[in-house]
Amino acid sequence: MPAISGRVAFGDFDLDLTTGELRKSGSVLKLEPQPASVLSLLVSEAGRLVGREEIRRRLWGDSTFVDYDSGVDYCVNRIRSVLCDHARAPRYIETLRGRGYRFIALVGVEKAFAEPTLAVLPFANLNGDPEREYFADGMTDALITELARIPAVRVISRQSVLHLKGSNRKLDEIARDLRVDGVVEGAALHGRSRVRVNAQLILMEPERHAWAHSYECDISTALMTQREVARAIAECVALALQSTGPVMPPPSPTPPMEPEIVENYLKAVSELYKASAESIGKALQYIRRVTIEAPDFALGHALHAACLFSLGWFGNAPAAEVFPGAKQMARRAVALDDSLSAAHHILATLNWVLDWDPATAEREFRRAIELSPSNVDAHLLYAAFLSGAARHAESIAEVQFALRIDPSSLFPHQMAGWVYLHACHYSEAAAQAKRTIESYPDALQPHFVLGWAAWRRGRTEEALAAFEKALSLSREAMSLAFLGHIYARLDRGQETQRFLLELDQLLSQGRASPMAFVILYAGLGDLDAAFDWLEAACRNRADMVWLTSGFPGIDPLRADPRFPELAGRTGIALSQLAGGQNWGPAVSRHKPRMMRCES
């Protein structure tokens, strides 16, 4: 039986397995992060014996902890105390002496949303030719995008269903795991000039086939067919679940196009979602042909904007070089079709990080979410924007929504850790980072969050361990900058100097942002050099998200009068941290060599 996820209820309690928040009759109960993590593990594996060694790995990973038995005992005893449970007559946690623990209470999984929720499984490629896989992938993505536009329905993101491609799991297990009311299955067959798309909707509780249809059309009208399928499914869901909300705004017409244009568009969609630097580059090659040959195709311009934006956002190309082009493409897409949510959320982010125009950015974010309530990228980027504006409660709400709509992919889990960190919720940030590392042990950013959360709480050794682990995973610019900052703050400046030389080499290869030097020089206490690099970052619009009020790596700069002036120019919100409060050990005052900015 697969592990339970999401928000669950047992007895008089309910527990959010994502955040570890425990409630009784609506009131939040105080449970420290480690016991909360153990409780989440036991509940998620309800009915299964969980060994003490598994609990140890959950709490401390591969770190050496001599007295972990006492730590596990404390966590279990603390949980029992909060639940008013007893080891001799357990209602919730059963002890199997010498083996581990088992959660024995009946666990009910709460729905992720009040609205009907669907998951679109990856469409099967009936061609059987891997070279034609892009067509089935493109149809899957297009259907999810169209269903995401429905105000009365929620649809699970593409990234959270990708792992189900070719899966033999039962539909009821998939539905329970994703906490959805229905599952859409489909298949696509791509001939020379004709396509056939089969789709069916299975609703749960009770499980029944609610709708099925086969579409055959010329490839030139395939994109309009996708919208027809989405609308048919939406109307069926509304009828079957007696939904009274609006079904779907009328789609903008998609005129027939040359088959080559449609194929290049779908190939670009497939490559973009692979999310590597190489695949984004391939997507860009395909979509450039589309926007040249179909200058009035709004979806093509929106996807072109997404490719350029992704290159800059994920650090695969200089932001100053690709962001202006992304903005131009997004504006063109909106001019052609104002209903494209993806174009609006890209415009919103660029209004924020490129133009430093938060008012326009917020309007665009709200418009993107209004047009597509299930657009997970819009919610996540809006969460980052709100975090930068020090609107932390709103930011946390947005990222929690994104985690429910996209529970299985890395990006929302990483973003959640940063959002909690910037809100100064260090326990929640650390717990989120640990959960992310469990699923994605090679991911860098949760180790970053874990390190900064420990540093802010004065846990120096934990911080060092987290940043050293990150550097062992990848010697990229931020890994060097973060660990170098901590070394410098601990008067280990010689090691930091070696990192500076390595950063110089990365910079010469176009693989280091000015913000890496800002963070490293801030740790060294060379504030003049740090501000030189900060000015360069401002000119290049590079990684300005690190200037948020909750980011610890620039704490030594906050008391300097130059900082509020620069923050005012960029629109970064200043909170109580801007008033000169330093966290962690004092800044080292020795002067390193000066590296002046030449860009």
Side-chain angles (χ1 to χ4, degrees):
M1 180 179 293
I4 301 169
S5 61
R7 182 172 284 278
V8 300
F10 53 88
D12 297 327
F13 304 92
D14 65 86
L15 173 68
D16 190 324
L17 296 174
T18 301
T19 65
E21 181 183 78
L22 179 67
R23 293 175 178 265
K24 182 178 182 180
S25 303
S27 299
V28 178
L29 302 179
K30 184 173 178 56
L31 191 62
E32 299 92 329
Q34 287 190 332
S37 183
V38 173
L39 177 60
S40 295
L41 172 62
L42 294 174
V43 172
S44 69
E45 300 288 348
R48 182 178 76 82
L49 170 66
V50 178
R52 291 175 66 87
E53 176 62 21
E54 187 173 348
I55 295 174
R56 184 194 71 79
R57 289 197 304 271
R58 172 74 169 238
L59 295 179
W60 298 288
D62 295 326
S63 302
T64 301
F65 183 51
V66 177
D67 196 21
Y68 77 83
D69 278 326
S70 296
V72 172
D73 290 341
Y74 169 79
C75 288
V76 173
N77 290 335
R78 180 73 183 114
I79 294 167
R80 283 181 168 144
S81 175
V82 171
L83 299 181
C84 297
D85 199 19
H86 302 282
R88 293 184 178 180
R91 289 186 300 159
Y92 300 110
I93 299 176
E94 177 187 32
T95 300
L96 285 82
R97 189 167 300 278
R99 298 172 64 194
Y101 304 92
R102 179 162 51 211
F103 196 85
I104 58 176
L106 183 65
V107 177
V109 180
E110 295 186 12
K111 288 184 60 177
F113 299 98
E115 298 85 357
T117 309
L118 300 177
V120 180
L121 302 185
F123 273 38
N125 172 20
L126 295 181
N127 288 85
D129 179 1
E131 294 297 321
R132 296 286 188 177
E133 198 72 28
Y134 72 88
F135 188 80
D137 290 345
M139 295 299 292
T140 306
D141 178 74
L143 184 55
I144 291 173
T145 299
E146 289 303 316
L147 288 172
R149 298 173 61 240
I150 306 171
V153 173
R154 297 290 175 261
V155 59
I156 298 299
S157 80
R158 184 179 191 272
Q159 296 297 329
S160 281
V161 297
L162 274 178
H163 69 285
L164 297 169
K165 192 168 189 174
S167 172
N168 292 321
R169 287 182 59 190
K170 295 180 180 180
L171 291 182
D172 60 339
E173 290 182 355
I174 293 173
R176 189 189 70 170
D177 195 29
L178 294 174
R179 296 191 292 162
V180 296
D181 300 293
V183 173
V184 179
E185 287 188 304
L189 179 65
H190 181 192
R192 290 184 178 179
S193 61
R194 303 284 292 175
V195 299
R196 187 172 78 239
V197 178
N198 304 323
Q200 61 176 341
L201 170 65
I202 300 96
L203 294 177
M204 305 296 165
E205 298 183 3
E207 184 175 339
R208 71 247 188 227
H209 282 71
W211 173 90
H213 201 76
S214 179
Y215 295 83
E216 187 168 345
C217 65
D218 190 275
I219 192 171
S220 64
T221 61
L223 299 182
M224 179 53 74
T225 298
Q226 294 165 351
R227 292 189 166 188
E228 291 176 11
V229 174
R231 193 169 188 84
I233 292 172
E235 290 172 350
C236 178
V237 170
L239 179 64
L241 300 180
Q242 299 180 343
S243 172
T244 57
V247 175
M248 181 187 288
S252 300
T254 302
M257 288 177 291
E258 292 296 323
E260 185 179 0
I261 294 175
V262 176
E263 290 197 13
N264 282 330
Y265 174 78
L266 293 175
K267 287 177 181 178
V269 170
S270 180
E271 291 293 340
L272 178 60
Y273 275 99
K274 295 176 184 176
S276 68
E278 181 182 3
S279 66
I280 296 172
K282 288 181 180 178
L284 195 55
Q285 291 177 8
Y286 288 124
I287 202 63
R288 278 175 178 153
R289 302 173 199 168
V290 172
T291 50
I292 290 171
E293 296 173 12
D296 295 329
F297 179 36
L299 287 171
H301 287 281
L303 189 60
H304 199 153
C307 291
L308 291 170
F309 173 78
S310 297
L311 285 174
W313 183 261
F314 293 111
N316 296 316
E321 294 180 11
V322 294
F323 277 178
K327 183 179 179 183
Q328 180 183 357
M329 287 295 173
R331 292 180 67 176
R332 175 63 176 160
V334 168
L336 291 166
D337 182 356
D338 186 59
S339 72
L340 297 179
S341 174
H344 282 284
H345 86 242
I346 290 171
L347 268 181
T349 310
L350 295 176
N351 280 316
W352 170 37
V353 300
L354 185 64
D355 298 339
W356 299 340
D357 183 356
T360 302
E362 178 141 27
R363 286 197 300 272
E364 290 290 342
F365 276 125
R366 290 181 177 275
R367 176 64 173 155
I369 292 170
E370 175 190 23
L371 288 168
S372 182
S374 296
N375 182 341
V376 66
D377 289 336
H379 286 285
L380 286 172
L381 291 168
Y382 189 37
F385 168 81
L386 292 168
S387 180
R391 292 160 57 182
H392 298 302
E394 296 170 82
S395 179
I396 290 170
E398 288 293 330
V399 85
Q400 288 178 342
F401 181 99
L403 281 170
R404 295 199 302 276
I405 210 83
D406 189 5
S408 302
S409 57
L410 176 60
F411 188 29
H413 284 276
Q414 287 187 157
M415 183 69 78
W418 285 113
V419 163
Y420 287 126
L421 178 74
H422 290 173
C424 303
H425 295 181
Y426 304 124
S427 296
E428 291 90 339
Q432 176 63 45
K434 288 178 180 177
R435 285 191 294 271
T436 307
I437 291 167
E438 285 176 14
S439 299
Y440 304 94
D442 293 333
L444 276 176
Q445 293 197 25
H447 291 285
F448 293 160
V449 171
L450 203 57
W452 287 123
W455 178 255
R456 275 277 175 85
R457 290 188 290 177
R459 300 178 179 180
T460 305
E461 293 304 316
E462 288 183 29
L464 279 171
F467 288 128
E468 286 170 350
K469 175 63 175 178
L471 191 63
S472 73
L473 291 171
S474 176
R475 297 188 75 86
E476 66 171 37
M478 285 304 178
S479 299
L480 293 164
F482 291 170
L483 181 57
H485 179 101
I486 300 301
Y487 279 165
R489 299 284 291 274
L490 298 174
D491 288 326
R492 294 168 62 176
Q494 288 185 343
E495 293 166 277
T496 303
Q497 290 293 332
R498 289 197 294 271
F499 287 173
L500 269 175
L501 295 175
E502 199 166 342
L503 274 179
D504 281 342
Q505 294 177 343
L506 291 177
L507 182 67
S508 68
Q509 300 164 11
R511 295 167 52 204
S513 162
M515 281 304 302
F517 291 92
V518 173
I519 293 162
L520 203 147
Y521 276 119
L524 284 166
D526 188 345
L527 302 191
D528 289 339
F531 276 101
D532 282 345
W533 281 102
L534 194 50
E535 289 287 350
C538 289
R539 289 194 298 273
N540 295 334
R541 302 300 198 260
D543 293 334
M544 302 307 292
V545 292
W546 298 117
L547 293 184
T548 55
S549 59
F551 176 57
I554 58 169
D555 283 347
L557 307 183
R558 299 186 193 280
D560 192 292
R562 290 171 286 186
F563 185 77
E565 186 277 327
L566 183 141
R569 275 191 278 140
T570 61
I572 297 294
L574 298 178
S575 72
Q576 71 275 13
L577 295 183
Q581 185 174 3
N582 271 325
W583 302 77
V587 180
S588 171
R589 286 294 148 196
H590 78 279
K591 285 286 184 180
R593 68 181 180 87
M594 182 71 76
M595 180 183 289
R596 294 295 181 183
C597 172
E598 298 175 356
S599 55

